[in-house]
Amino acid sequence: VDRLGGLDVLVNNAGVWGPKGAIDEVDWAEWARAVEINLMGSVLAARFALPYLRRSERGKVVQLSGGGATSPMPRLSAYAASKAAVVRFAETLAGEVADDGIDVNAVAPGAVNTRMLDELLDAGPALLGDAQYAKALRQRDDGGTPPEKGALLAVYLGSRKSDGITGRLLSAVWDPWEELEGRSSTLDGSDIYTLRRIVPSERGHDWGERS
């Protein structure tokens, strides 16, 4: 702020796996520390940045999410729980700062091959379980998602092209985010690109839901 005269965009791009293994066997302090880094780190950065973002012509917050936000990750519970929490935090913050002209969104960058993948491979199937370890091996062998995909989406969400798009979780790999410009009015008030609960009728079951 002192050097450049203000702050327009905050990107929360920090995270750790935390301990690997069954929840009743992992070190509790390490588990809590992972949640502190992934969730509280994001919240604290936002708290600090908001007064400056409010002075911007259009402030932006971009929260990096991950696979744990939308699907369970057995034996990586601290990571999964905290990443789901940061997405809900982003949705909630978006509602809080809507009148300030600040857009808040989360990014799922895809399975990028970083040091975090090396950490999983080093842990092995004894800690990860066979399924998670096999998934990590496939990601290593397939080459993973190019990191540029997530970076380009973060740049888009930090730009004026994304004005009015807020409270969303966007996948850098699967969502047509390049085509969202001008669709903020359609997204507004909808549950598109948000975390939500699926009810039986949405899967073709009539279980007598109350209207």
Side-chain angles (χ1 to χ4, degrees), residues 2 4 13 38 47 56 64 70-71 80 85 94 103 122 129 132 145 148 151 157 188 192 199-200:
D2 291 341
L4 301 178
N13 183 31
N38 294 351
R47 280 170 56 93
S56 174
L64 268 290
T70 55
S71 60
D103 297 326
D122 289 342
Q132 287 285 9
T145 302
E148 292 81 7
L157 290 174
D188 189 33
I192 298 172
V199 298

Side-chain angles (χ1 to χ4, degrees), residues 16-187:
V16 296
W17 287 120
K20 302 153 196 73
I23 186 61
D24 57 335
E25 297 175 357
V26 296
D27 182 274
W28 175 248
E30 291 181 14
W31 200 98
R33 177 59 175 158
V35 174
E36 184 178 34
I37 292 170
N38 294 351
L39 174 59
M40 295 176 65
S42 297
V43 175
L44 286 169
R47 280 170 56 93
F48 180 85
L50 282 176
Y52 304 103
L53 293 174
R54 287 190 176 99
R55 302 172 195 168
S56 174
E57 187 175 349
R58 188 83 195 190
K60 307 277 188 175
V61 177
V62 180
Q63 173 65 58
L64 268 290
S65 172
T70 55
S71 60
M73 299 185 73
R75 295 177 171 266
L76 294 169
S77 57
Y79 177 80
S82 60
K83 286 300 184 176
V86 296
V87 173
R88 185 62 80 206
F89 169 67
E91 292 182 6
T92 301
L93 181 61
E96 288 188 12
V97 299
D99 291 340
D100 298 314
I102 299 173
D103 297 326
V104 186
N105 293 285
V107 168
V112 181
N113 288 4
T114 67
R115 288 190 301 272
M116 291 182 73
L117 175 61
D118 297 335
E119 191 179 327
L120 291 185
L121 294 171
D122 289 342
L127 290 177
L128 288 183
D130 291 337
Q132 287 285 9
Y133 184 67
K135 183 178 179 181
L137 286 174
R138 287 195 300 272
Q139 179 183 329
R140 180 199 64 187
D141 296 340
D142 292 344
T145 302
E148 292 81 7
K149 287 184 178 291
L152 286 171
L153 175 52
V155 169
Y156 170 77
L157 290 174
S159 75
R160 296 303 304 267
K161 290 183 178 180
S162 66
D163 283 0
I165 298 173
T166 190
R168 309 294 148 177
L169 168 59
L170 293 170
S171 167
V173 178
W174 303 112
D175 295 334
W177 53 266
E178 303 96 329
E179 303 171 15
L180 293 182
E181 188 175 354
R183 294 181 176 173
S184 60
S185 59
T186 302
L187 291 172

